[in-house]
Amino acid sequence: MEQINILTQNGLKVTKPRVTILNILEHVNKPLTAEEIYLKLQKIDKSINLSTVYRVLEVFIKNQIITKPFIKDDNKASFIINHHEHKHFLICSKCQKMVEIGECPFKTFEKSLEKETNFTITNHRFELFGICPNCK
Ligand SMILES: [Zn+2]
Ligand SMILES: [Zn+2]
C-alpha cells in the first residue's frame, strides 16, 4: 500500500492512525483542517481521537509528508499531501477547492532575479485565490 511506503520511506513506524489519516488526505482535492480530518476518521475508525490526529499531523509536517498550503479565513491551519512536485494552485476562498495550474510562471523570472540579486533561488511558493464556479 502506498501509504505504508510513504511512512517507511520517512523512517516512521506504520501505525493505524498514520495510515488512515494519510489515506484520507490522499483522497481529497482540498486541504483539510485537523477537525475535518477527525470528522472523516469518525466514519472509518472511532478509536482515533482528536489529540492523536494532532500528533500524527505534527509528525507528518516535520517529515514534510504534508504541508500547510495556506491559512484559511478563520485562521485554522489546513493540510494537504506534499507531492514534492513543483505545483501551483488556484484556490477557491469559499470552499477551498484547489485547481492545479499547468505551468510554473516563474522560471524566466527566477533566472533574471538571480542575475539581479546574485541569489541562488531554491524554491518559491505561489498561490492564487478566487471564487470557483460552484461558489459564485
Ligand atoms: Zn468554491
Ligand atoms: Zn513555480
Side-chain angles (χ1 to χ4, degrees), residues 17-119:
R18 286 175 180 172
V19 173
T20 317
I21 291 171
L22 259 187
N23 197 26
I24 287 174
L25 282 166
E26 276 185 340
H27 291 95
V28 292
N29 65 348
K30 61 170 203 164
L32 297 178
T33 64
E35 285 80 8
E36 286 168 335
I37 293 167
Y38 175 69
L39 286 178
K40 284 186 184 287
L41 268 175
Q42 287 299 290
K43 291 176 193 152
I44 305 163
D45 185 348
K46 282 202 193 319
S47 71
I48 302 167
N49 59 37
L50 187 56
S51 60
T52 306
V53 174
Y54 279 115
R55 264 205 312 275
V56 169
L57 290 175
E58 213 171 283
V59 171
F60 285 175
I61 284 282
K62 233 185 246 161
N63 288 276
Q64 298 184 338
I65 294 170
I66 58 172
T67 67
K68 291 186 234 189
F70 63 97
I71 304 294
K72 277 194 192 179
D73 286 344
D74 55 9
N75 278 334
K76 269 185 194 159
S78 47
F79 306 90
I80 52 164
I81 291 278
N82 185 0
H83 288 286
H84 296 285
E85 292 157 36
H86 194 82
K87 280 181 179 173
H88 296 294
F89 290 95
L90 176 59
I91 302 155
C92 174
S93 46
K94 289 207 167 151
C95 70
Q96 270 77 45
K97 177 190 154 106
M98 299 172 81
V99 175
E100 202 182 315
I101 299 166
E103 181 128 358
C104 172
F106 291 111
K107 285 175 188 157
T108 326
F109 176 64
E110 271 192 355
K111 283 215 174 72
S112 68
L113 201 61
E114 280 186 330
K115 255 187 210 154
E116 211 180 293
T117 62
N118 215 18
F119 266 62

